[in-house]
Amino acid sequence: MSLTSQPFATTAGPAHQPYRYQQRPLVEPDWRRFPGWREVTAAEWASVQWQRAHCVKNVRQLREVLGDLVDETFFADLERDQAERATMSMLLPPQMLNTMASAEEPAGAGSLTAAFYADPVRHYMLPVFSDRRTDWPSHPHASRDSLHEHDMWVAEGLTHRYPTKVLAELLPTCPQYCGHCTRMDLVGNSTPAVAKLKFVGKPVDRHTAMLDYLRRTPTVRDVVVSGGDVANMPWPRLEAFLDGLMEVDTIRDIRLATKALIGLPQHWSQPDVVEGVARVAATARARGVSLAVHTHANHAASITPAVAAAAGGLLDAGLRDVRNQGVLLEGVNADPHALLDLSFALLDGARIMPYYLYMCDMIPFAEHWRVSVGKAQHLQHQIMGYLPGYATPRIVCDVPFVGKRWVHQVAGYDTERGISTWTKNYLTSIEADDPDALTRTYEYFDPIHTLPESGRWWWARNADAGPSLPEAAGMTPGTGATRFDVATTS
């Protein structure tokens, strides 16, 4: 039988796959379904000024938008979380809020309550008290700067963690605040649970110090420009900083970190911003610098036509790539179908490259979001083979004092107690004089509630073996910063 006439097996067709791929058109939910936005026009919705002016910052404003479609029990649940648990203050652009409960048709008082409680975007953007764990709300080893980024500041806001890469935190604000923010110690307003750190220097002085460090450190070739979110920085100031970066001969990669592409795409669609991106992209190409945007989407519901238009506009303006760095979150996307739906929505619908999925960091009051290393390994296995290799997101664990590690790179794993051990192959900026840095192992801890009974029993009796939660997390209300104890802001 020739190769051309050999029959093909059909029993493993699409209908028999554990996940069935199909293209789904992106949809912009109708914001007019919410009572507070019934009179909002399409032109107003597309305006970044309108979006910023109508961000939801407190429970009262949320009630004004939702009316009686959500029961008072939900608002009370939210108020309690804001008072007792929230590490981030409330800040929701209309664009982001509109992607919650988007498939439900309002049908009178209370009709969206269950949908709001169950909604994956709500679960991480608008956490309520009943979401949180009551047995282990925080891990005993949780800390407010869980990755020790401030310990690695070589200039204020400039973290030199990897041999060839730095993180430049230009500002401490975002257009929206995610409940699980890994930089909850610095970003946003203080909450009743967390007194935030404050930058000491003026922005111009801090940015100058960053550029000075890069000029005298030729081993750095890659700069992540972040914050906060660069979308909150006036474009002329951001463009001036980027021009300064590209004048450093050794810089070859620049990545702009902005969740606003998902939560406030109207910003990145503004003509003056797109024109500015085109100028910077042209300069980057001329100087051999790769310029990309990294955004942060955790669920397919957030990927709408407005997001796709903004991402497409940036690519058409000359960016090399737009990539997504999501966070693996229980109750949001810790499911293979949800992860594949998100990846295909990004790739097919919005020209955004699925790139990383970070395990949620060990910050205070985050245990209800975190998953075990074992579950992360299982999810990586489950999503393999469906996406192109270049667009298959890598699930990584950001290990304190180590950095990003693929979840299968674990060196040792005590699954009973949920303690994984990891090794590293480079020194951070604080380890130049540490002869054991490259030979010791570093620990990461699974959520205790995911452990077998014997493991939970062990932690109940050994939780004090590490630093106490208040010391580790810096959670005493009213106290200043743990490292930069100052009162002035940038």
Side-chain angles (χ1 to χ4, degrees):
M1 182 180 292
S2 68
L3 289 176
T4 56
S5 61
Q6 187 170 345
F8 292 95
T10 59
T11 56
H16 300 278
Q17 299 295 345
Y19 174 85
R20 184 173 183 179
Y21 166 76
Q22 61 183 94
Q23 290 189 354
R24 296 181 176 90
L26 301 184
V27 175
E28 203 74 50
D30 185 1
W31 58 87
R32 289 175 288 255
R33 72 189 188 281
F34 293 141
W37 294 336
R38 280 180 182 150
E39 305 303 321
V40 176
T41 66
E44 288 173 320
W45 191 263
S47 163
V48 66
Q49 290 81 10
W50 186 92
Q51 289 277 334
R52 288 187 184 271
H54 291 84
C55 283
V56 172
K57 301 177 182 178
N58 53 54
V59 175
R60 176 186 59 80
Q61 292 176 344
L62 185 64
R63 279 196 185 97
E64 291 174 355
V65 173
L66 302 181
D68 65 356
L69 296 178
V70 174
D71 289 339
E72 277 300 313
T73 53
F74 177 84
F75 295 117
D77 205 358
L78 177 58
E79 284 182 319
R80 184 178 180 188
D81 193 76
Q82 288 284 303
E84 299 181 30
R85 291 290 185 267
T87 59
M88 299 299 294
S89 57
M90 191 188 308
L91 184 61
L92 274 171
Q95 174 75 27
M96 182 61 79
L97 178 55
N98 191 43
T99 63
M100 300 179 190
S102 58
E104 298 295 322
E105 188 68 30
S111 59
L112 295 186
T113 304
F116 257 78
Y117 266 114
D119 188 79
V121 178
R122 194 284 307 165
H123 198 67
Y124 75 94
M125 288 300 304
L126 200 64
V128 295
F129 189 86
S130 62
D131 291 337
R132 314 270 184 180
R133 302 291 307 186
T134 55
D135 48 0
W136 294 96
S138 297
H139 195 281
H141 289 279
S143 64
R144 54 184 289 160
D145 180 18
S146 63
L147 303 180
H148 304 279
E149 289 180 335
H150 301 149
D151 294 323
M152 302 177 198
W153 278 3
V154 290
E156 191 178 32
L158 187 67
T159 299
H160 193 168
R161 187 180 184 192
Y162 301 100
T164 62
K165 300 182 287 186
V166 296
L167 165 71
E169 297 172 86
L170 297 190
L171 72 171
T173 64
C174 296
Q176 68 283 303
Y177 293 137
C178 310
H180 64 277
C181 182
T182 190
R183 298 195 182 108
M184 45 73 56
D185 63 320
L186 173 70
V187 172
N189 301 319
S190 293
T191 70
V194 183
K196 301 296 177 101
L197 301 181
K198 304 294 181 182
F199 283 133
V200 177
K202 296 179 180 179
V204 63
D205 295 332
R206 291 191 296 102
H207 302 167
T208 297
M210 292 177 184
L211 293 172
D212 287 344
Y213 177 81
L214 295 173
R215 292 187 191 101
R216 65 178 187 268
T217 314
T219 54
V220 174
R221 64 172 302 281
D222 183 349
V223 182
V224 177
V225 183
S226 184
D229 191 315
V230 295
N232 265 22
M233 194 169 184
W235 178 261
R237 283 175 52 195
L238 178 58
E239 185 170 351
F241 183 79
L242 297 177
D243 286 341
L245 277 182
M246 289 186 290
E247 290 173 357
V248 180
D249 290 340
T250 51
I251 300 303
R252 286 294 173 265
D253 269 290
I254 298 174
R255 294 176 271 170
L256 306 180
T258 173
K259 187 174 181 177
L261 185 60
I262 307 301
L264 191 66
Q266 293 83 357
H267 168 82
W268 292 105
S269 292
Q270 294 178 92
D272 61 326
V273 172
V274 175
E275 292 165 6
V277 169
R279 287 192 299 272
V280 174
T283 302
R285 286 194 302 274
R287 297 183 178 177
V289 176
S290 172
L291 180 67
V293 157
H294 282 196
T295 192
H296 174 187
N298 293 327
H299 196 273
S302 297
I303 313 305
T304 74
V307 171
L314 294 175
L315 289 168
D316 292 344
L319 287 188
R320 173 174 175 172
D321 211 348
V322 178
R323 309 180 185 109
N324 185 62
Q325 296 186 146
V327 179
L328 191 62
L329 300 167
E330 197 66 74
V332 178
N333 57 20
D335 169 87
H337 285 216
L339 293 179
L340 288 169
D341 285 348
L342 169 62
S343 298
F344 283 119
L346 291 164
L347 191 62
D348 293 350
R351 298 167 62 188
I352 298 174
M353 186 72 66
Y355 179 46
Y356 274 144
L357 288 164
Y358 288 87
M359 294 179 66
C360 181
D361 291 318
M362 292 178 56
I363 57 170
F365 302 128
E367 293 306 277
H368 64 296
W369 283 311
R370 295 206 306 124
V371 303
S372 68
V373 170
K375 182 168 184 177
Q377 292 173 335
H378 171 74
L379 289 169
Q380 182 74 83
H381 175 79
Q382 292 296 100
I383 66 173
M384 297 299 290
Y386 287 94
L387 291 149
Y390 64 84
T392 301
R394 291 171 287 180
I395 301 180
V396 295
C397 183
D398 215 340
V399 182
F401 293 114
V402 176
K404 291 185 289 292
R405 285 292 181 268
W406 299 346
V407 289
H408 286 83
Q409 286 184 284
V410 62
Y413 193 7
D414 178 349
T415 56
E416 181 183 21
R417 298 176 183 179
I419 303 175
S420 52
T421 53
W422 308 76
T423 60
K424 61 192 299 181
N425 59 325
Y426 50 78
L427 302 174
T428 66
S429 58
I430 61 175
E431 295 166 330
D433 299 321
D434 184 351
D436 301 319
L438 297 181
T439 57
R440 73 165 59 96
T441 58
Y442 299 80
E443 294 179 329
Y444 183 84
F445 303 95
D446 287 348
I448 295 171
H449 68 272
T450 66
L451 304 181
E453 183 178 356
S454 58
R456 297 195 302 272
W457 180 91
W458 186 88
W459 276 103
R461 286 151 183 79
N462 292 277
D464 293 335
S468 66
L469 176 60
E471 292 172 352
M475 294 295 290
T476 305
T479 61
T482 54
R483 284 186 52 80
F484 291 85
D485 191 4
V486 295
T488 56
T489 68
S490 61

